[in-house]
Amino acid sequence: MRIPRLPSRSRAQGGTALPIALVMVTVMAMASIGLVRMIDSSTLLARNASFQRDAVNRNQIAIRTAIGEFEAEAGKHFAMLKNTEADALGQAGGFAYSAIALPTDSAGVPLAIKDDASFAAAFGALASTSAIASGEGMQTVYLIERLCSLQEPAADNHCAMSSTRVPDNCSRCSSVSTPRTPVFRVTARTNGPRGVEALSQALFTLPIE
């Protein structure tokens, strides 16, 4: 009578280890694919964030440039700054200007600068001369508004007024009555690659002599 031989322990272990090894290899491969995709997504997000920061920086440069150009164009006039009472001041300087505050969205951004079509409709030829193509696919436009409701000499009843930039050597100033000037708002919008868009604003007043 023959007694059946049992399989050796080594053969049983070998037969079980192969499927486990295949499963582990598959899991590792899937994990590697997921890691590569995660790295690609992180790189894309970092690149987009870099474009966004760059757009904001370009807005800040454009705002400083716009204020400097407007100040040179408007001049340093006492108190009422009469040459800021009419729209499109600074046309020779190549930038868009409104003597009254324009309609805005809920965030306070003028509707006229929300997109290129609205900007062109509001300012015509000034829309193109107010644009700054700064390279790397970035373009910035800016708009200056006098925060008044009427195209008249600036006054408290229809303008936001301030006296924050009265110089120390103002010969016509006194401690009793300090001249006040209208407040202006500059808005800049930069568009760039991958649909990046940034909007920035600043308030300023002109110095008085």
Side-chain angles (χ1 to χ4, degrees):
M1 179 179 179
R2 296 184 60 187
I3 299 175
R5 298 179 60 188
L6 297 175
S8 67
R9 181 172 297 181
S10 61
R11 287 184 182 179
Q13 289 178 344
T16 305
L18 182 59
I20 294 176
L22 291 175
V23 170
M24 292 181 63
V25 169
T26 303
V27 170
M28 292 174 63
M30 294 178 65
S32 299
I33 294 172
L35 180 61
V36 170
R37 289 180 177 176
M38 185 176 66
I39 292 173
D40 289 343
S41 298
S42 299
T43 302
L44 181 61
L45 289 173
R47 188 176 301 170
N48 288 345
S50 176
F51 282 136
Q52 192 70 34
R53 285 194 301 270
D54 189 23
V56 172
N57 291 338
R58 290 169 193 262
N59 276 350
Q60 298 305 316
I61 294 172
I63 285 173
R64 288 197 297 270
T65 301
I67 292 174
E69 290 181 355
F70 184 74
E71 195 168 293
E73 186 70 26
K76 298 179 180 179
H77 294 265
F78 182 74
M80 291 298 100
L81 299 166
K82 291 186 66 65
N83 64 337
T84 67
E85 294 168 15
D87 285 344
L89 174 81
Q91 185 165 356
F95 50 84
Y97 170 76
S98 173
I100 61 174
L102 298 174
T104 66
D105 63 12
S106 59
V109 177
L111 300 179
I113 202 173
K114 292 276 286 185
D115 54 70
D116 291 340
S118 299
F119 197 52
F123 293 101
L126 286 177
S128 58
T129 57
S130 295
I132 304 171
S134 51
E136 299 179 356
M138 294 283 191
Q139 179 165 294
T140 304
V141 294
Y142 56 87
L143 157 68
I144 296 176
E145 306 161 85
R146 191 181 69 155
L147 297 185
C148 298
S149 58
L150 301 172
Q151 291 193 37
E152 296 179 359
D156 287 303
N157 65 335
H158 71 95
C159 292
M161 302 288 285
S162 174
S163 57
T164 56
R165 293 190 66 188
V166 176
D168 294 335
N169 61 349
C170 178
S171 60
R172 301 176 67 175
C173 304
S174 71
S175 59
V176 177
S177 177
T178 301
R180 289 161 60 79
T181 59
V183 176
F184 299 88
R185 176 173 62 196
V186 55
T187 305
R189 171 175 58 84
T190 294
N191 292 89
R194 301 182 183 277
V196 167
E197 180 179 82
L199 288 155
S200 303
Q201 285 185 325
L203 301 178
F204 68 98
T205 57
L206 293 177
I208 43 183
E209 295 174 336

